[in-house]
């Protein structure tokens, strides 16, 4: 993305409110040593209570996500991927490059996840996202979408993610992936696209509070989803596709 695109994105109005989006190259910016870094949260560890408890947030961000970042840096060192962006890595990683696959996915997925959550949640959606929802699901109401994603999460066996993504012809779609895979891994996943929101259904995301009750976690999480940010991710995903 060039500077003009960045300024244009900054000027995007979502739901009548000017947001300050963090474009993907900034979300996944490397440091001066060409290393990926753990992006700080936009809120405190306890800010998503009671939907997501403080200790889960501390471990999830500070240990799990940090681990993916460290192991991603190790995995790219001395390889053709060393100077690549996270998007380039995801687009090129192959099924057998296990460390790269798991840790690039882990870093990307969690960065998007934290970004689309917020303390009180926010059910405001932008006009373009509302239009896309109507086109894909026949309604712009969020409740049926939330139910469909919750159902998809209940059906997903083991660890993985539930995605709302922009797929072919810019159409919105709900998909799931195992482990840390995501729809940007074009050599790996069947349903390719750009994720605009994902829900982590690994046990580490909910077990301390919800134990085996994944369905309950999937009911509560909607209280902290920021649809204004999901709207922004939609704008970014569809702008990217125009190029
Ligand atoms: Mn996780």
């Amino acid at each position: 993305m060039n500077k003009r695109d960045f300024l244009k994105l900054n000027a995007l109005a979502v739901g009548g409110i000017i947001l300050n989006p963090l474009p993907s190259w900034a979300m996944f910016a490397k440091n001066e040593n060409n290393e990926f870094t753990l992006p700080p949260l936009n809120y405190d560890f306890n800010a998503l209570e009671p939907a997501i408890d403080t200790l889960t947030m501390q471990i999830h961000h500070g240990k799990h996500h940090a681990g993916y970042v460290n192991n991603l840096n190790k995995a790219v060192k001395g390889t053709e991927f060393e100077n690549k962006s996270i998007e380039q890595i995801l687009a090129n990683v192959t099924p057998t490059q296990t460390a790269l696959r798991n840790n690039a996915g882990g870093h990307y997925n969690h960065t998007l996840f934290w970004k689309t959550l917020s303390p009180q949640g926010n059910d405001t959606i932008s006009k373009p996202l509302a239009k896309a929802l109507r086109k894909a699901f026949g309604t712009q109401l969020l409740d049926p979408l939330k139910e469909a994603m919750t159902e998809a999460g209940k059906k997903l066996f083991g660890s993985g993610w539930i995605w709302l993504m922009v797929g072919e012809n810019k159409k919105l779609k709900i998909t799931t992936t195992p482990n840390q895979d995501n729809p940007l891994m074009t050599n790996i996943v069947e349903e390719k696209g750009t994720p605009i929101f994902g829900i982590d259904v690994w046990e580490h995301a909910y077990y301390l509070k919800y134990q085996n009750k994944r369905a309950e976690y999937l009911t509560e999480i909607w209280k902290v989803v920021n649809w204004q940010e999901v709207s922004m991710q939609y704008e970014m995903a569809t702008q990217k596709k125009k190029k």
Side-chain angles (χ1 to χ4, degrees):
M1 184 184 303
N2 61 33
K3 197 172 172 207
R4 201 189 49 182
D5 285 341
F6 176 61
L7 292 175
K8 209 161 66 185
L9 270 181
N10 264 305
L12 277 176
V14 175
I17 296 160
I18 305 288
L19 292 180
N20 189 20
L22 202 52
S24 64
W25 55 259
M27 275 166 76
F28 302 101
K30 289 177 165 181
N31 67 15
E32 63 279 10
N33 299 321
N34 195 29
E35 292 164 334
F36 291 104
T37 58
L38 180 66
L41 296 175
N42 292 330
Y43 38 80
D44 292 331
F45 288 123
N46 65 2
L48 305 181
E49 292 265 13
I52 305 178
D53 64 282
T54 307
L55 185 57
T56 293
M57 287 301 294
Q58 285 169 334
I59 298 171
H60 201 173
H61 180 264
K63 304 289 180 196
H64 289 281
H65 189 173
Y68 298 125
V69 172
N70 289 338
N71 290 325
L72 170 60
N73 285 322
K74 281 186 204 156
V76 296
K77 210 167 176 62
T79 75
E80 57 176 317
F81 293 106
E82 196 162 9
N83 296 312
K84 302 287 190 210
S85 69
I86 191 79
E87 288 92 346
Q88 289 169 319
I89 294 171
L90 295 170
N92 289 288
V93 66
T94 62
T96 53
Q97 291 170 314
T98 313
L100 197 61
R101 174 183 181 176
N102 291 339
N103 294 295
H107 179 37
Y108 186 95
N109 299 349
H110 288 85
T111 302
L112 181 63
F113 188 51
W114 309 135
K115 188 102 175 74
T116 51
L117 301 179
S118 68
Q120 274 83 43
N122 187 331
D123 275 351
T124 311
I125 54 170
S126 67
K127 277 184 186 157
L129 180 58
K131 198 175 154 195
L133 287 171
R134 277 199 305 275
K135 199 175 162 198
F137 306 114
T139 172
Q140 68 181 69
L141 297 175
L142 289 179
D143 281 347
L145 176 66
K146 292 175 185 177
E147 275 164 36
M149 289 186 77
T150 298
E151 282 310 306
K154 285 198 249 175
K155 280 187 199 135
L156 180 63
F157 183 79
S159 298
W161 288 78
I162 314 157
W163 301 107
L164 178 62
M165 69 167 196
V166 179
E168 267 180 36
N169 305 319
K170 289 207 236 167
K171 200 171 177 194
L172 286 173
K173 215 171 170 183
I174 296 167
T175 65
T176 60
T177 55
N179 305 315
Q180 295 297 352
D181 291 352
N182 72 42
L184 292 168
M185 295 178 176
T186 48
N187 296 324
I188 294 174
V189 294
E190 242 167 70
E191 303 205 83
K192 305 166 194 13
T194 303
I196 62 171
F197 171 56
I199 304 175
D200 188 344
V201 289
W202 281 55
E203 285 185 345
H204 69 222
Y206 63 85
Y207 209 86
L208 291 178
K209 182 177 165 88
Y210 298 97
Q211 293 86 43
N212 59 320
K213 300 181 285 271
R214 182 188 281 189
E216 203 177 302
Y217 159 69
L218 287 173
T219 305
E220 292 303 305
I221 195 166
W222 299 112
K223 294 174 183 162
V224 291
V225 176
N226 183 352
W227 287 94
Q228 235 176 48
E229 177 58 37
V230 178
S231 299
M232 185 53 68
Q233 294 295 329
Y234 175 76
E235 316 273 319
M236 287 198 279
T238 47
Q239 291 217 342
K240 199 171 74 182
K241 297 234 151 172
K242 275 182 205 157
K243 287 179 191 161

